[in-house]
Amino acid sequence: MRTPGWRVGHNGITNSEDPQRPEPPYPRVRELRSMMVDFGLATTPIFMAGGVWYLREWADWIDNPELGPVAFQFGTRPLVTQESPISENLENASS
């Protein structure tokens, strides 16, 4: 069932987090980048996935020297919106 405004995502919650009180991803990604720099991976992109609906919502992440290269994965949002033209067969395939 598609629900308008449904928002879930990998970037908004971790296994150590209370799902009722998700924390912002920026501090975790900043910490991850710091570790990556220590391991010589400063130019390796970090891919953000889940909850990425509009790049304008992530503008402060793009070209941010504190985060380094960041890429964004889009893909599932069109499947959970009422406007999606997907067939009922595809919509129900995961049920």
Side-chain angles (χ1 to χ4, degrees):
M1 178 165 96
R2 291 176 274 165
T3 307
W6 185 52
R7 186 173 186 156
V8 298
H10 332 309
N11 69 35
I13 193 165
T14 68
N15 290 336
S16 63
E17 211 174 311
D18 178 351
Q20 301 302 314
R21 299 181 60 184
E23 299 170 16
Y26 189 95
R28 288 191 300 269
V29 173
R30 183 181 56 222
E31 183 179 348
L32 173 62
R33 175 59 67 197
S34 178
M35 282 193 294
M36 289 174 71
V37 168
D38 291 345
F39 287 107
L41 300 170
T43 61
T44 301
I46 294 173
F47 282 79
M48 295 301 298
V52 179
W53 296 33
Y54 301 103
L55 280 180
R56 68 178 173 258
E57 296 174 352
W58 300 86
D60 57 334
W61 289 53
I62 299 170
D63 294 327
N64 182 326
E66 189 172 51
L67 298 180
V70 178
F72 298 89
Q73 176 186 333
F74 295 87
T76 57
R77 180 178 186 225
L79 299 178
V80 296
T81 61
Q82 289 181 340
E83 300 82 9
S84 177
I86 64 171
S87 71
E88 291 296 317
N89 288 340
L90 179 58
E91 181 179 342
N92 296 322
S94 63
S95 300

